[in-house]
Amino acid sequence: MSATDLGSATSTAGPGFRGPRRAETNPAAWLGRAFVAVVLAFFALFFAVPILWLVNATGKSPRDLLTTAPFAPGTFGDLAANWDALVSFQDGIVFQWLGNAGLYSGVALVLTLLTSIPAGYAMALGTFRGRKALLTTTLVVMLIPNTALVLPIFLELSALQLVGTAASVILPFSFFPFGVYLTYIYFSSSIPADLLAAARIDGCGELAVFTRIALPLAKPVVALVGFFSFVANWNNYFLPFLVVSGPKAPIQVGLAEMLANVPQFNPTAAGVTTIELPALALATVLSVAPVLLIFLFSQRFLVAGMTAGGTKE
């Protein structure tokens, strides 16, 4: 290489050129990354181990579940036997419980969407007397634990003579202030006001503006509110436990009834037990499956709904 070429290469690299950048060897940075990795691994195992044990327990016999290693694999034969035991438990009432949970959660979901989406739209883009007071009330109700509302709701349902009916579960499930507030945030931050104003100038009434313009643009938040509402209703135990029982109970209440028939958890049921731990584990997996399937098929809309409103254009 000539002197001219060497000088050109040196000038191109610049006076700050130090060659290839070396990997960081800072001990503090390495220890920080290692600590974060250990914490994440701990919590991953903390939550994953019980789930793995539960799924594995569905393929074991009652004896193997208590005598073999916790994660020793089960067999398809034991899984089939546990399925038969679950189906024969009170003439297959577990499937009726699953159907009840789907009915209660599904009807409540429809009522929630029919009320919370228009309410959030009105509070975000409407102008009416008492708007701020209504929004403040919504925020206050969100802060109240659901268990604190069970007693007044039960007394109200009792006064209306609805205890023991499907309405005693569906109507309280339909009350979802978090969905109203989530919709309020979306409409106030993600829907261009000029677009709605242009639709009004073109002759659209307020109902047409909502149904034809705002609602189609709000599909992500509608999916998000629907998912949160369905999951909360499906997993709700305390209120259904108080107002319905037996064949009208949802699956979460039914699991508690099955648990009471397992001698390992209820010694008084040792002489009349009709269910074993592996069959109970199988029923628990079945109770989780609908929510898991809904999440897997709707996660694209859920991610869009969670990020909606994060930036304002």
Side-chain angles (χ1 to χ4, degrees):
M1 179 182 295
S2 64
T4 303
D5 294 337
L6 180 60
S8 175
T10 304
S11 62
T12 302
F17 179 72
R18 301 247 186 253
R21 185 178 179 181
R22 295 181 179 179
E24 293 185 6
T25 58
N26 188 347
W30 184 88
L31 289 176
R33 290 194 295 268
F35 176 76
V36 172
V38 170
V39 172
L40 293 177
F42 170 77
F43 280 102
L45 290 175
F46 182 81
F47 289 105
V49 166
I51 297 176
L52 294 176
W53 180 90
L54 181 68
V55 174
N56 187 51
T58 60
K60 289 187 174 184
S61 65
R63 175 181 172 82
D64 291 341
L65 187 63
L66 299 177
T67 58
T68 61
F71 292 99
T75 63
F76 287 105
D78 289 333
L79 178 62
N82 295 331
W83 176 264
D84 293 338
L86 183 62
V87 171
S88 62
F89 176 73
Q90 295 186 13
D91 297 327
I93 195 173
V94 64
F95 300 107
Q96 187 171 352
W97 289 337
L98 286 169
N100 292 338
L103 174 65
Y104 300 155
S105 301
V107 176
L109 170 62
V110 174
L111 295 178
T112 297
L113 295 179
L114 290 177
T115 55
S116 61
I117 304 300
Y121 171 82
M123 287 196 294
L125 302 174
T127 54
F128 54 90
R129 182 175 299 179
R131 172 177 169 271
K132 291 185 177 179
L134 186 59
L135 179 59
T136 303
T137 303
T138 302
L139 291 173
V140 171
V141 174
M142 284 176 53
L143 300 176
I144 301 176
N146 291 333
T147 52
L149 298 175
V150 169
L151 179 59
I153 290 176
F154 178 81
L155 294 176
E156 184 179 7
L157 293 173
S158 179
L160 296 175
Q161 298 182 356
L162 293 177
V163 175
T165 66
S168 64
V169 181
I170 293 174
L171 293 180
F173 277 3
S174 304
F175 180 70
F176 195 52
F178 176 69
V180 177
Y181 187 68
L182 194 63
T183 309
Y184 161 79
I185 294 176
Y186 180 86
F187 281 122
S188 60
S189 60
S190 299
I191 301 296
D194 295 341
L195 178 63
L196 303 182
R200 296 187 184 97
I201 293 175
D202 289 340
C204 288
E206 198 60 42
L207 181 60
V209 170
F210 172 70
T211 56
R212 297 182 182 181
I213 307 298
L215 192 58
L217 295 175
K219 289 181 180 179
V221 76
V222 171
L224 194 62
V225 172
F227 178 77
F228 283 154
S229 173
F230 185 86
V231 171
N233 296 337
W234 183 274
N235 293 327
N236 197 321
Y237 167 79
F238 194 23
L239 179 65
F241 173 74
L242 294 178
V243 297
V244 290
S245 61
K248 294 184 179 180
I251 184 61
Q252 304 303 333
V253 179
L255 289 176
E257 182 176 338
M258 294 179 68
L259 189 65
N261 287 273
V262 178
Q264 287 84 354
F265 292 95
N266 183 12
T268 61
V272 293
T273 180
T274 57
I275 198 72
E276 295 287 349
L277 281 175
L280 179 60
L282 182 57
T284 305
V285 172
L286 289 178
S287 70
V288 177
V291 175
L292 180 61
L293 291 176
I294 291 175
F295 173 77
L296 291 177
F297 285 105
S298 61
Q299 56 181 321
R300 180 170 64 90
F301 298 99
L302 297 179
V303 172
M306 289 179 182
T307 57
T311 58
K312 191 172 184 179
E313 297 182 359

